[in-house]
């Protein structure tokens, strides 16, 4: 083989190249000398005349037991890794299931709270509506209207008398009103003894001013000619003196 074909030879310096060449030459001479016994070259001696010796190759026996142990260890490691991965996957699935259950429970609780709040709001609205209705009814009762005539005046007087526990009936009031004034709220008596004393009887039930002032009922106009105020004051006086306007059957 030419020295120039040796890998890296061309990169060697000149001194190194000379050394390598000398070593190669010496090696070749040694081989040639070994082929010629005694150092004498025999032209008749050839390579085929040399005894053939088998070349011995050393082969390493594979230790099957050690290899088996390695394979078993690898299988055990693979199995352990697989088990670890399976356990990790199972733990992840359990965590996901737990999270899903917690989220479902939270949603259910939120829905329950929302439903309870809606029910409470509904009940509160119903209660407020009932309260408003009651207030309207109370207001309507407080603002009860009566016709502006004898019937209306008597009915309104009876409602006021009821609040103040003054006895009397519609018929008892009506018969005395007709007898005293004929139903005229502006009626006045200018000829009897009261008139002569300067306190004439006035109104539906012909009440004099001192009596009106004494038995006037709070909440009614302070006016003798007011039909309701006149009736209520007269009935209050009659209750005090006769027990009830119903017991009055003549001048009082």
């Amino acid at each position: 083989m030419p020295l120039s074909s040796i890998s890296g030879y061309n990169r060697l310096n000149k001194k190194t190249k000379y050394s390598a060449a000398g070593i190669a030459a010496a090696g070749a001479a040694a081989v040639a000398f070994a082929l010629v016994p005694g150092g004498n070259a025999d032209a008749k001696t050839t390579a085929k005349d040399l005894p053939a010796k088998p070349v011995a190759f050393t082969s390493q026996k594979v230790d099957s037991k050690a290899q088996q142990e390695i394979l078993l260890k690898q299988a055990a490691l693979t199995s352990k890794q697989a088990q670890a991965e399976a356990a990790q996957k199972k733990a992840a699935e359990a965590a996901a299931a737990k999270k899903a259950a917690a989220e479902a429970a939270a949603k259910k609780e939120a829905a329950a709270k929302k439903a309870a709040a809606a029910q409470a709001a509904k009940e509160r609205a119903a209660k407020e509506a009932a309260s408003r209705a009651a207030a309207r009814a109370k207001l309507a009762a407080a603002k009860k209207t009566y016709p502006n005539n004898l019937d209306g005046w008597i009915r309104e007087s009876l409602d006021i008398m009821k609040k103040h526990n003054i006895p009397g009936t519609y018929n008892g009031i009506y018969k005395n009103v007709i007898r005293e004034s004929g139903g005229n709220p502006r009626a006045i008596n200018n000829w009897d003894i009261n008139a002569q004393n300067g306190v004439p009887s006035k109104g539906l039930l012909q009440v004099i001013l001192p009596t009106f002032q004494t038995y006037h009922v709070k909440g009614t106009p302070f006016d003798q000619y007011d039909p309701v105020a006149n009736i209520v004051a007269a009935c209050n006086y009659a209750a005090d003196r006769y027990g009830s306007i119903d017991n009055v059957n003549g001048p009082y």
Side-chain angles (χ1 to χ4, degrees):
M1 177 186 293
L3 292 176
S4 60
S5 65
I6 298 174
S7 176
Y9 178 79
N10 290 328
R11 292 193 299 273
L12 300 175
N13 57 36
K14 186 174 181 181
K15 185 177 180 180
T16 306
K17 287 179 181 180
Y18 288 154
S19 298
I23 292 169
V31 171
F33 182 79
L35 292 176
V36 181
N40 297 320
D42 188 354
K44 291 183 180 181
T45 304
T46 61
K48 65 181 180 179
D49 297 324
L50 296 174
K53 294 182 180 180
V55 179
F57 293 96
T58 59
S59 61
Q60 296 180 350
K61 285 182 73 176
V62 177
D63 191 344
S64 61
K65 187 175 181 181
Q67 188 175 12
Q68 222 172 23
E69 290 178 356
I70 291 172
L71 292 175
L72 287 173
K73 287 181 180 180
Q74 288 178 345
L77 181 61
T78 302
S79 176
K80 189 175 182 180
Q81 289 177 344
Q83 289 176 356
E85 290 175 357
Q88 187 176 6
K89 184 179 179 182
K90 187 176 181 180
E93 290 175 350
K98 186 176 180 180
K99 184 180 179 182
E103 290 176 351
K107 286 181 179 179
K108 187 176 181 180
E109 184 179 359
K113 286 183 178 179
K114 187 176 180 181
Q119 181 64 26
K122 187 178 179 180
E123 290 175 356
R124 185 168 56 252
K127 187 175 180 180
E128 290 174 354
S131 179
R132 287 193 297 270
R136 284 195 297 270
K138 187 176 180 180
L139 185 62
K143 291 184 177 180
K144 186 177 179 180
T145 58
Y146 305 89
N148 190 26
N149 53 34
L150 181 58
D151 177 71
W153 300 331
I154 294 175
R155 292 186 184 283
E156 185 175 356
S157 297
L158 286 170
D159 287 343
I160 295 172
M161 289 163 60
K162 185 178 181 179
K163 291 178 182 178
H164 293 274
N165 297 316
I166 300 172
T169 63
Y170 185 97
N171 290 332
I173 295 172
Y174 181 81
K175 70 179 182 180
N176 281 285
V177 166
I178 296 302
R179 185 187 66 249
E180 294 293 332
S181 65
N184 179 12
R186 304 300 297 179
I188 182 171
N189 185 328
N190 289 317
W191 59 84
D192 64 5
I193 189 63
N194 291 321
Q196 293 174 16
N197 292 333
V199 284
S201 301
K202 296 179 180 180
L204 290 175
L205 286 174
Q206 293 293 283
V207 181
I208 62 174
L209 183 59
T211 301
F212 180 81
Q213 290 173 336
T214 302
Y215 292 97
H216 173 261
V217 175
K218 187 177 180 180
T220 61
F222 198 82
D223 179 5
Q224 277 180 272
Y225 287 113
D226 182 84
V228 174
N230 187 282
I231 291 173
V232 174
C235 288
N236 194 20
Y237 163 72
D240 184 45
R241 186 168 181 180
Y242 303 104
S244 172
I245 189 68
D246 295 343
N247 298 330
V248 178
N249 295 309
Y252 61 106

